[in-house]
Amino acid sequence: MIDFDSVLDSIGDFGKYQILIMIPIIYYQVPGGLNSIAPVFLSYKPDFRCLVYPFDNTTIFPNLTDAEIVNITTPTDGQGNPANSCVRYSYSTATCTEKMDLSCVNISSPTNPCNTYRFNDSLFSETTVTEFELVCNRKILDGISTSAYLVGVLVSSVSIGYFLDRFGRRKPTILFSYGMLLSMLLTAYSPSLAVFIVGRFLVAFFTFGSHMGVFCHVIEIVGTRWRMLVGVLYHSAYCVGYMLWSPIAYLYRDWHRMQLACLIVSAPFVLMMMIVPESPRWLFAKGHLKKGEKIVSMMARMNNRPVPKIPADEENYYSGSVEEDDKIVKYSTLDLFRYPGLRISTLKIGFFSMVNNTVYYGIAYNMGNLSGNIFLNNIYVLSVIIVVFMVLARGLISGSTAVYCCYVVEFYPTFIRGNGIGFTSTMARVGSITSPFLISIGKQNLLWVPDTVLGISCLIASVVAMTLPDTTNVPMMDTIQEAESFIGNHRSGRQRQGQYTAID
């Protein structure tokens, strides 16, 4: 088998070729950030009350203010605010309309649930919450629409690993990228809540599938010393997409137009990805030597290096020993658990990624509940101590995400790298799917529960992470046997940078 790290040493492990390939790949994280945090703005919930006829009819009652209507028709908290925005007092519509007398409302009778609602549109003219009336007895549907995205990521995590290991990094990425754009278009023109939920599910499925492909690709084409830097730069672009929501939502106050703006921003990635070649590391690992040599030659020329001659017997470019059937066996997620070293390490990585994403999304989706301006909250902090700590935690967990994603790509060998990333991402989705429900517990007069659970989980996950082998400056592995040797050497204290010591 070709040792691609040795090839990189001769053709340049971070030259013009890698930089040019990184531009479209890193740009991908912009739509990735846009799509993942979209519910903060698309599904923003403004203040609301019952829409009450005839009091909201300006022809009949032209001089009534909104506050006066609330005082007349709705139980208040004594300060003019609705005590329960989902109910109203009983009244006779005919009597109130004919007499135009405000005393027609019977405040002593039992309250009735609202038939429809009036939303405060001073911030956004329309969101999914206001258009589909996702409040009161329908508010659970808002949680479902948010979780639909996370479920889509989960399904993508389970399935994409097979496609990446079977068909390469490039083709699945391009296919899923087109699916992402079409799904975003479907979401923007959703005529009903059901279509919106399906659209968000598909956006997540295709967006995350593309993410796994491009991230795996960009890490595989750079040298050992550059992997962490490239990984951090890649994830930094996610923050750019995240912050772009503020100007987008500020300019377009209707959720349909917001989604279309995100679509326009995301489209260039698909066009740029069309010119990105396949990962040569994957080609060599799968035995496609001619195709791999062609891309290596292009890399060498662009990096102003001599084109290397790949030896026919491959002996000089081989590192370690390989199972005889590595080239013909079709690996699956089950192979992550067939071998003792990989099995234990995979469970540890899976637990860490689950906790990491629970914390990340728990903080992100809670930003809309902070006091102050939603546009500013999304970018920088206010001078309130609780907000300072929340944003500090958000920054730290973002750094943790960037590091562990790089670690996963470095840890798993080429033959099962896609499946390894897929399983890890699946566990991450288990955490992110539960985060909205954990946040909802804090809204039930149990404010201490979410932060306490997240904090303790982080401490446990940190201890678990410390028991994993360090991949810093270690060449990327290609075979399962190399990975098992690497893990065994770590346990026995024989781990060395840049080599694998054979174990029995």
Side-chain angles (χ1 to χ4, degrees):
M1 178 181 297
I2 302 297
D3 179 2
F4 190 68
D5 286 301
S6 297
V7 176
L8 279 177
D9 288 338
S10 63
I11 65 175
D13 59 356
F14 192 73
K16 185 187 298 183
Y17 175 87
Q18 285 90 345
I19 293 174
L20 290 177
I21 295 299
M22 281 175 56
I23 293 174
I25 287 181
I26 289 180
Y27 184 86
Y28 163 77
Q29 279 292 65
V30 173
L34 285 171
N35 286 322
S36 67
I37 209 65
V40 173
F41 293 95
L42 296 183
S43 301
Y44 176 79
K45 186 177 77 172
D47 294 334
F48 68 95
R49 62 171 175 81
C50 293
L51 181 66
V52 283
Y53 181 85
F55 303 107
D56 278 304
N57 189 322
T58 56
T59 302
I60 301 175
F61 292 97
N63 299 320
L64 281 181
T65 65
D66 196 73
E68 289 173 333
I69 295 175
V70 169
N71 286 327
I72 294 168
T73 64
T74 308
T76 63
D77 58 3
Q79 299 179 352
N81 302 312
N84 184 350
S85 298
C86 297
V87 298
R88 61 170 176 79
Y89 291 127
S90 299
Y91 62 89
S92 169
T93 302
T95 302
C96 294
T97 303
E98 292 173 2
K99 296 183 178 181
M100 290 187 288
D101 184 0
L102 299 181
S103 64
C104 61
V105 178
N106 185 359
I107 63 174
S108 62
S109 65
T111 57
N112 294 328
C114 300
N115 296 321
T116 187
Y117 306 91
R118 181 181 179 87
F119 295 91
N120 185 339
D121 59 1
S122 61
L123 189 59
F124 295 116
S125 60
E126 193 81 86
T127 69
T128 60
V129 170
T130 63
E131 181 170 333
F132 304 125
E133 297 192 337
L134 305 182
V135 293
C136 300
N137 61 339
R138 288 172 56 86
K139 66 181 179 181
I140 190 174
L141 297 177
D142 184 31
I144 292 175
S145 67
T146 300
S147 294
Y149 184 90
L150 302 176
V151 173
V153 175
L154 173 62
V155 176
S156 182
S157 301
V158 172
S159 57
I160 189 61
Y162 167 79
F163 293 99
L164 294 179
D165 287 339
R166 179 71 177 85
F167 301 105
R169 317 312 190 200
R170 180 177 180 271
K171 291 180 180 178
T173 297
I174 293 175
L175 177 64
F176 275 61
S177 299
Y178 277 110
M180 176 185 70
L181 295 184
L182 293 175
S183 300
M184 292 175 72
L185 187 63
L186 173 66
T187 302
Y189 288 101
S190 298
S192 66
L193 178 62
V195 175
F196 175 77
I197 291 175
V198 172
R200 286 292 293 168
F201 171 86
L202 293 176
V203 167
F205 178 81
F206 291 117
T207 299
F208 200 77
S210 301
H211 155 69
M212 293 171 66
V214 294
F215 183 59
C216 191
H217 191 158
V218 73
I219 295 297
E220 288 182 341
I221 63 173
V222 299
T224 302
R225 57 180 175 162
W226 300 104
R227 293 193 307 242
M228 184 57 67
L229 174 62
V230 170
V232 171
L233 286 175
Y234 172 78
H235 284 88
S236 297
Y238 180 94
C239 300
V240 175
Y242 190 109
M243 291 187 293
L244 276 177
W245 259 112
S246 290
I248 288 175
Y250 184 81
L251 292 174
Y252 306 104
R253 303 302 181 96
D254 176 272
W255 75 269
H256 297 280
R257 299 176 68 191
M258 293 180 198
Q259 184 65 58
L260 285 175
C262 293
L263 171 62
I264 294 172
V265 172
S266 303
F269 165 73
V270 180
L271 300 177
M272 291 188 291
M273 197 63 200
M274 294 291 292
I275 64 174
V276 174
E278 180 57 83
S279 165
R281 186 186 294 272
W282 178 85
L283 289 172
F284 285 135
K286 291 297 183 179
H288 304 299
L289 301 185
K290 295 297 183 183
K291 294 180 180 179
E293 290 175 2
K294 183 178 179 180
I295 296 176
V296 165
S297 297
M298 179 173 60
M299 294 176 68
R301 289 192 299 270
M302 293 185 66
N303 291 343
N304 295 320
R305 296 291 186 90
V307 178
K309 180 180 167 95
I310 307 297
D313 59 4
E314 305 177 5
E315 182 177 354
N316 295 330
Y317 281 89
Y318 176 69
S319 174
S321 58
V322 61
E323 297 168 334
E324 293 181 356
D325 59 350
D326 263 339
K327 290 185 179 179
I328 59 175
V329 172
K330 303 298 186 291
Y331 292 99
S332 69
T333 304
L334 294 177
D335 290 287
L336 302 174
F337 302 94
R338 294 187 194 277
Y339 307 89
L342 275 174
R343 178 169 56 247
I344 295 175
S345 296
T346 295
L347 291 174
K348 291 178 180 179
I349 295 172
F351 173 75
F352 181 88
S353 63
M354 179 180 68
V355 172
N356 191 92
N357 276 260
T358 302
V359 176
Y360 182 88
Y361 282 98
I363 295 173
Y365 287 140
N366 200 37
M367 292 303 289
N369 295 325
L370 297 178
S371 60
N373 188 302
I374 185 174
F375 304 112
L376 302 183
N377 287 347
N378 191 53
I379 299 179
Y380 60 82
V381 300
L382 306 172
S383 59
V384 181
I385 189 63
I386 190 170
V387 181
V388 171
F389 279 108
M390 176 175 281
V391 176
L392 177 62
R394 178 176 163 187
L396 292 174
I397 204 65
S398 297
S400 173
T401 300
V403 173
Y404 99 77
C405 287
C406 292
Y407 180 86
V408 170
V409 176
E410 293 177 340
F411 177 79
Y412 288 106
T414 303
F415 282 114
I416 58 171
R417 185 166 293 129
N419 284 291
I421 296 173
F423 173 78
T424 304
S425 299
T426 300
M427 295 302 297
R429 291 329 113 197
V430 173
S432 57
I433 288 173
T434 61
S435 61
F437 300 98
L438 182 62
I439 295 301
S440 67
I441 294 176
K443 297 178 181 179
Q444 308 299 321
N445 296 322
L446 294 171
L447 298 177
W448 59 273
V449 172
D451 290 339
T452 301
V453 172
L454 295 178
I456 293 176
S457 299
C458 279
L459 290 175
I460 297 175
S462 299
V463 174
V464 170
M466 293 175 65
T467 65
L468 289 166
D470 189 3
T471 59
T472 304
N473 295 325
V474 173
M476 296 186 79
M477 296 168 281
D478 290 317
T479 69
I480 291 179
Q481 188 173 5
E482 285 179 344
E484 282 291 291
S485 298
F486 174 66
I487 297 169
N489 292 336
H490 165 74
R491 292 177 178 174
S492 61
R494 290 183 292 170
Q495 182 177 334
R496 296 290 185 271
Q497 291 185 346
Q499 64 181 26
Y500 314 111
T501 304
I503 61 174
D504 297 330

